Amino acid sequence: MVKIDKETAFSILENVKDPEIPLLSIIDMGILRDFYYDNNKAIAVITPTYSGCPAMTMISDMVKDELVKAGLENVEVISQISPAWTTEWMSEKAKSNLKASGIAPPIKMQMTELFNIKFNDDKIECPFCNSNNTKKTSEFGSTACKSLHYCNECSQPFDYFKCI
Amino acid sequence: MSANLFNYLLKLGDDRVVMGQRMAEWCGVGPILEEDVALTNLCLDFIGQGVSLLGKAGEIEGLGRNEDSLAFFRDDMEYKNTLLVEQPNGDFAQTIAKLFFFSTFDIIFLNELTKSKDEYLTAFAIKSLKEAKYHFRHSSNWFLRLGDGTEESNTRLQNAIDNLWLFTDELFDMDEADLELVNLGIAVDLNIVKAQWLEKMNEFFTLSKVKPTNPDCFMIKGGRKGIHTEHLGKMLAEMQILPRTYPDAQW
Ligand SMILES: [Zn+2]
């Protein structure tokens, strides 16, 4: 029976891409949290970015497939919500890949206030021309983790990956 | 104790499943494309939170039921959601008013729940609070725009508030089982939530130039005990028909 260590598992699972953003792996995204053995069963731990992320089942299946392909037999993928996923887990590489694919990466933002009706995300830097002369057109974009923006400089609409 | 916790999780979970399912009715018919997308994204958050809670409820019950069996194979009388969340969407103003009432409640509630002695509830609260802040921002911005907008938008928001206000007090209801959980430090004391919620409401009523015509009206309740308005049954019929017709269907 094939047994691999955590480091090997992570390098194998680098092949699993986020179905919504195929430029990023689940490791870049901080979705893959852990890999360990419970008796002889290999356990991979993933966490959802948002509670309702519709990609979780697909990611779970892909993780399992990838590990089985590597020769593992007894594999389980579990999803846990604690600690809660945060955009701060995204690697620098992830952020620059996001930008390269036309999605503005999350900026640093103070999210501690409970009732905040104005965040500082209405002048997000355009991922195409780097201008800050942009406006937010909608609080939610193609997925719950993004909002929609428009660049007044280069007339491009773009997604921004929200801070959470 | 575990029966109490099971029921508590059902109440919290059912609120979210029903909130999400109802909001999903906007899919494809939103007033503008951006809003259609926003409302359906919000609905995904609620459904996802509901899945977490009902899944945990099934685990605690220990009878082999999971989130799907609890959502699809219970009748309306077994649902424990508040009457507020099952009310029809109405026009856009009514949808926003409901979302504003609920997401304001949710932030205060979840913030309290982060202090729960139950590890799972704490984890759930920390995760969901992040999402609730976006729900509140979206709904409160619209609440202000509609209320302080045109005569038409103000009238519609005013009507929406009057249609829904009488269902709001049930959000703060606790039965004996809940109180036991409050005493154990597991559940949230909803009296604390209510005081803060009313304060927030009054702040926004002033800003938005609307307010309940009769704030001390008779409050209609029943959902927490399984006594629902006619609207829930119809919604569940649509939601449950596929898995009930083909119980072994996979997708
Ligand atoms: Zn630009």
mmCIF file of all heavy atoms in Angstrom, chain A residues 48-54 56 81, chain B residues 44-52 124 127-128 131:
data_model
loop_
_atom_site.group_PDB
_atom_site.id
_atom_site.type_symbol
_atom_site.label_atom_id
_atom_site.label_comp_id
_atom_site.label_asym_id
_atom_site.label_seq_id
_atom_site.Cartn_x
_atom_site.Cartn_y
_atom_site.Cartn_z
ATOM 1 N N PRO A 48 -14.263 25.573 2.970
ATOM 2 C CA PRO A 48 -14.903 26.406 1.947
ATOM 3 C C PRO A 48 -14.507 27.877 2.088
ATOM 4 O O PRO A 48 -14.327 28.362 3.211
ATOM 5 C CB PRO A 48 -16.400 26.220 2.228
ATOM 6 C CG PRO A 48 -16.484 25.869 3.673
ATOM 7 C CD PRO A 48 -15.217 25.161 4.030
ATOM 8 N N THR A 49 -14.385 28.579 0.960
ATOM 9 C CA THR A 49 -14.111 30.018 1.030
ATOM 10 C C THR A 49 -15.339 30.721 1.611
ATOM 11 O O THR A 49 -15.241 31.467 2.559
ATOM 12 C CB THR A 49 -13.803 30.573 -0.369
ATOM 13 O OG1 THR A 49 -14.845 30.168 -1.263
ATOM 14 C CG2 THR A 49 -12.480 30.045 -0.887
ATOM 15 N N TYR A 50 -16.515 30.435 1.007
ATOM 16 C CA TYR A 50 -17.791 30.916 1.534
ATOM 17 C C TYR A 50 -18.648 29.689 1.859
ATOM 18 O O TYR A 50 -18.508 28.669 1.200
ATOM 19 C CB TYR A 50 -18.518 31.773 0.499
ATOM 20 C CG TYR A 50 -17.994 33.178 0.407
ATOM 21 C CD1 TYR A 50 -16.724 33.427 -0.098
ATOM 22 C CD2 TYR A 50 -18.759 34.260 0.845
ATOM 23 C CE1 TYR A 50 -16.224 34.728 -0.177
ATOM 24 C CE2 TYR A 50 -18.266 35.547 0.778
ATOM 25 C CZ TYR A 50 -16.999 35.789 0.264
ATOM 26 O OH TYR A 50 -16.523 37.059 0.206
ATOM 27 N N SER A 51 -19.542 29.823 2.840
ATOM 28 C CA SER A 51 -20.385 28.682 3.246
ATOM 29 C C SER A 51 -21.078 28.030 2.066
ATOM 30 O O SER A 51 -21.217 26.825 2.003
ATOM 31 C CB SER A 51 -21.469 29.140 4.229
ATOM 32 O OG SER A 51 -20.888 29.647 5.387
ATOM 33 N N GLY A 52 -21.543 28.875 1.128
ATOM 34 C CA GLY A 52 -22.346 28.332 0.037
ATOM 35 C C GLY A 52 -21.536 28.050 -1.210
ATOM 36 O O GLY A 52 -22.116 27.911 -2.281
ATOM 37 N N CYS A 53 -20.219 27.981 -1.097
ATOM 38 C CA CYS A 53 -19.383 27.789 -2.284
ATOM 39 C C CYS A 53 -19.823 26.521 -3.028
ATOM 40 O O CYS A 53 -19.725 25.417 -2.510
ATOM 41 C CB CYS A 53 -17.921 27.690 -1.905
ATOM 42 S SG CYS A 53 -16.888 27.344 -3.347
ATOM 43 N N PRO A 54 -20.334 26.688 -4.265
ATOM 44 C CA PRO A 54 -20.873 25.529 -4.980
ATOM 45 C C PRO A 54 -19.772 24.612 -5.527
ATOM 46 O O PRO A 54 -20.069 23.542 -6.034
ATOM 47 C CB PRO A 54 -21.682 26.156 -6.122
ATOM 48 C CG PRO A 54 -21.154 27.534 -6.281
ATOM 49 C CD PRO A 54 -20.454 27.931 -5.035
ATOM 50 N N MET A 56 -17.387 23.173 -3.769
ATOM 51 C CA MET A 56 -16.799 22.281 -2.756
ATOM 52 C C MET A 56 -16.896 20.792 -3.098
ATOM 53 O O MET A 56 -15.939 20.040 -2.906
ATOM 54 C CB MET A 56 -17.436 22.524 -1.377
ATOM 55 C CG MET A 56 -16.939 23.762 -0.675
ATOM 56 S SD MET A 56 -15.151 23.931 -0.688
ATOM 57 C CE MET A 56 -14.697 22.955 0.738
ATOM 58 N N ILE A 81 -15.036 23.939 8.852
ATOM 59 C CA ILE A 81 -15.253 25.383 8.740
ATOM 60 C C ILE A 81 -14.419 26.175 9.735
ATOM 61 O O ILE A 81 -14.459 27.394 9.743
ATOM 62 C CB ILE A 81 -16.745 25.758 8.894
ATOM 63 C CG1 ILE A 81 -17.318 25.229 10.205
ATOM 64 C CG2 ILE A 81 -17.561 25.246 7.721
ATOM 65 C CD1 ILE A 81 -18.701 25.785 10.534
ATOM 66 N N LEU B 44 -27.095 31.642 -1.950
ATOM 67 C CA LEU B 44 -26.107 30.562 -1.804
ATOM 68 C C LEU B 44 -25.486 30.571 -0.409
ATOM 69 O O LEU B 44 -25.275 29.523 0.203
ATOM 70 C CB LEU B 44 -24.983 30.729 -2.829
ATOM 71 C CG LEU B 44 -25.135 30.053 -4.183
ATOM 72 C CD1 LEU B 44 -23.878 30.273 -4.992
ATOM 73 C CD2 LEU B 44 -25.398 28.560 -4.028
ATOM 74 N N ASP B 45 -25.173 31.749 0.087
ATOM 75 C CA ASP B 45 -24.626 31.855 1.450
ATOM 76 C C ASP B 45 -25.594 31.233 2.459
ATOM 77 O O ASP B 45 -25.200 30.447 3.319
ATOM 78 C CB ASP B 45 -24.412 33.325 1.855
ATOM 79 C CG ASP B 45 -23.107 33.901 1.301
ATOM 80 O OD1 ASP B 45 -22.288 33.118 0.789
ATOM 81 O OD2 ASP B 45 -22.924 35.129 1.397
ATOM 82 N N PHE B 46 -26.870 31.613 2.337
ATOM 83 C CA PHE B 46 -27.862 31.110 3.302
ATOM 84 C C PHE B 46 -28.016 29.599 3.205
ATOM 85 O O PHE B 46 -28.076 28.904 4.211
ATOM 86 C CB PHE B 46 -29.226 31.792 3.093
ATOM 87 C CG PHE B 46 -29.268 33.209 3.591
ATOM 88 C CD1 PHE B 46 -29.623 34.257 2.756
ATOM 89 C CD2 PHE B 46 -28.951 33.499 4.912
ATOM 90 C CE1 PHE B 46 -29.658 35.568 3.214
ATOM 91 C CE2 PHE B 46 -28.984 34.812 5.385
ATOM 92 C CZ PHE B 46 -29.339 35.844 4.532
ATOM 93 N N ILE B 47 -28.093 29.094 1.972
ATOM 94 C CA ILE B 47 -28.242 27.648 1.804
ATOM 95 C C ILE B 47 -27.004 26.943 2.375
ATOM 96 O O ILE B 47 -27.113 25.931 3.077
ATOM 97 C CB ILE B 47 -28.434 27.280 0.317
ATOM 98 C CG1 ILE B 47 -29.699 27.926 -0.236
ATOM 99 C CG2 ILE B 47 -28.429 25.756 0.126
ATOM 100 C CD1 ILE B 47 -30.988 27.195 -0.008
ATOM 101 N N GLY B 48 -25.833 27.487 2.091
ATOM 102 C CA GLY B 48 -24.596 26.877 2.598
ATOM 103 C C GLY B 48 -24.572 26.841 4.122
ATOM 104 O O GLY B 48 -24.190 25.833 4.734
ATOM 105 N N GLN B 49 -25.010 27.940 4.743
ATOM 106 C CA GLN B 49 -25.063 27.964 6.209
ATOM 107 C C GLN B 49 -26.078 26.945 6.721
ATOM 108 O O GLN B 49 -25.847 26.254 7.716
ATOM 109 C CB GLN B 49 -25.439 29.368 6.702
ATOM 110 C CG GLN B 49 -24.369 30.418 6.400
ATOM 111 C CD GLN B 49 -24.857 31.843 6.645
ATOM 112 O OE1 GLN B 49 -25.943 32.059 7.162
ATOM 113 N NE2 GLN B 49 -24.043 32.815 6.280
ATOM 114 N N GLY B 50 -27.206 26.854 6.012
ATOM 115 C CA GLY B 50 -28.230 25.885 6.390
ATOM 116 C C GLY B 50 -27.706 24.462 6.306
ATOM 117 O O GLY B 50 -27.981 23.629 7.176
ATOM 118 N N VAL B 51 -26.940 24.176 5.268
ATOM 119 C CA VAL B 51 -26.360 22.845 5.101
ATOM 120 C C VAL B 51 -25.469 22.499 6.296
ATOM 121 O O VAL B 51 -25.544 21.405 6.861
ATOM 122 C CB VAL B 51 -25.558 22.765 3.778
ATOM 123 C CG1 VAL B 51 -24.670 21.539 3.743
ATOM 124 C CG2 VAL B 51 -26.502 22.764 2.582
ATOM 125 N N SER B 52 -24.631 23.460 6.719
ATOM 126 C CA SER B 52 -23.761 23.223 7.884
ATOM 127 C C SER B 52 -24.584 22.861 9.118
ATOM 128 O O SER B 52 -24.263 21.913 9.840
ATOM 129 C CB SER B 52 -22.955 24.483 8.250
ATOM 130 O OG SER B 52 -22.110 24.845 7.213
ATOM 131 N N PHE B 124 -19.177 27.955 13.471
ATOM 132 C CA PHE B 124 -20.211 28.359 12.511
ATOM 133 C C PHE B 124 -20.422 29.879 12.565
ATOM 134 O O PHE B 124 -20.528 30.549 11.536
ATOM 135 C CB PHE B 124 -21.532 27.646 12.819
ATOM 136 C CG PHE B 124 -22.701 28.197 12.053
ATOM 137 C CD1 PHE B 124 -22.904 27.834 10.732
ATOM 138 C CD2 PHE B 124 -23.568 29.115 12.644
ATOM 139 C CE1 PHE B 124 -23.962 28.372 10.009
ATOM 140 C CE2 PHE B 124 -24.623 29.653 11.927
ATOM 141 C CZ PHE B 124 -24.823 29.276 10.606
ATOM 142 N N LYS B 127 -17.524 31.957 11.012
ATOM 143 C CA LYS B 127 -17.570 31.862 9.544
ATOM 144 C C LYS B 127 -18.721 32.695 8.971
ATOM 145 O O LYS B 127 -18.543 33.495 8.060
ATOM 146 C CB LYS B 127 -17.739 30.391 9.151
ATOM 147 C CG LYS B 127 -17.918 30.135 7.690
ATOM 148 C CD LYS B 127 -16.649 29.638 7.067
ATOM 149 C CE LYS B 127 -16.678 29.709 5.557
ATOM 150 N NZ LYS B 127 -15.369 30.028 5.018
ATOM 151 N N SER B 128 -19.912 32.509 9.527
ATOM 152 C CA SER B 128 -21.103 33.132 8.948
ATOM 153 C C SER B 128 -21.154 34.634 9.192
ATOM 154 O O SER B 128 -21.737 35.378 8.401
ATOM 155 C CB SER B 128 -22.370 32.483 9.512
ATOM 156 O OG SER B 128 -22.327 31.096 9.291
ATOM 157 N N GLU B 131 -19.876 36.607 6.380
ATOM 158 C CA GLU B 131 -20.810 36.701 5.261
ATOM 159 C C GLU B 131 -21.939 37.677 5.586
ATOM 160 O O GLU B 131 -22.359 38.464 4.745
ATOM 161 C CB GLU B 131 -21.355 35.305 4.936
ATOM 162 C CG GLU B 131 -20.262 34.401 4.379
ATOM 163 C CD GLU B 131 -20.534 32.909 4.542
ATOM 164 O OE1 GLU B 131 -21.654 32.530 4.921
ATOM 165 O OE2 GLU B 131 -19.608 32.119 4.267
#
